[in-house]
Amino acid sequence: MDNSENLGLREMQEMQKVLQEKYLDKWGGLSPEKAMSKMLWMIAEIGEAAQIIKKKGDGGIMNDSEVRKDFVEEMCDVLMYFNDVLISYSVTPEEFAKIYIEKHNKNMKRW
């Protein structure tokens, strides 16, 4: 699948559903009971991204193509688990977008 120009939350969730279905016997699928585990895996992936920043610095991410690729890959892992959590709780892209926009508007008036 190369739909990089249109990769949004809906497409990411669809890709995660396909991945989860492929490994259903191994991973056990997505459900509210699996959400905490997925959240913990997401936090671990955030830690891996943070380690790249810590070890390679901003310059490494901005100027070294291999470091940048590794960093972006870790951030993709974060988003994959993020979407697993949303799917586990049946959060749709529409619901997420609505609340995201509401939160943005609230933040724009906060300070």
Side-chain angles (χ1 to χ4, degrees), residues 6 30 32 34 38 61 65 69 71 74-75 83-84 87 91 94-95 103-104:
N6 298 313
L30 297 175
K34 298 279 185 179
K38 298 300 181 181
I61 294 169
S65 62
K69 182 180 181 298
F71 175 73
E74 295 303 335
M75 294 303 293
N83 277 293
D84 283 348
I87 295 165
V91 177
E94 295 81 13
E95 179 183 12
K103 181 68 175 179
H104 171 77

Side-chain angles (χ1 to χ4, degrees), residues 3 27 35 37 47-48 54 63 77 85 89 97-100 105:
N3 198 16
W27 296 344
S37 172
E48 290 183 24
K54 180 180 172 184
N63 303 312
D77 288 341
V85 173
Y89 288 124
K98 179 182 181 296
I99 295 172
Y100 190 98
N105 290 337

Side-chain angles (χ1 to χ4, degrees), residues 23-65:
Y23 296 106
L24 182 62
D25 293 340
K26 187 173 186 170
W27 296 344
L30 297 175
S31 65
E33 296 78 24
K34 298 279 185 179
M36 183 179 292
S37 172
K38 298 300 181 181
M39 180 78 75
L40 293 172
W41 278 105
M42 181 181 71
I43 292 167
E45 295 297 343
I46 291 170
E48 290 183 24
Q51 284 297 315
I52 293 172
I53 297 169
K54 180 180 172 184
K55 292 178 181 177
K56 303 296 181 174
D58 300 332
I61 294 169
M62 297 304 294
N63 303 312
D64 183 319
S65 62

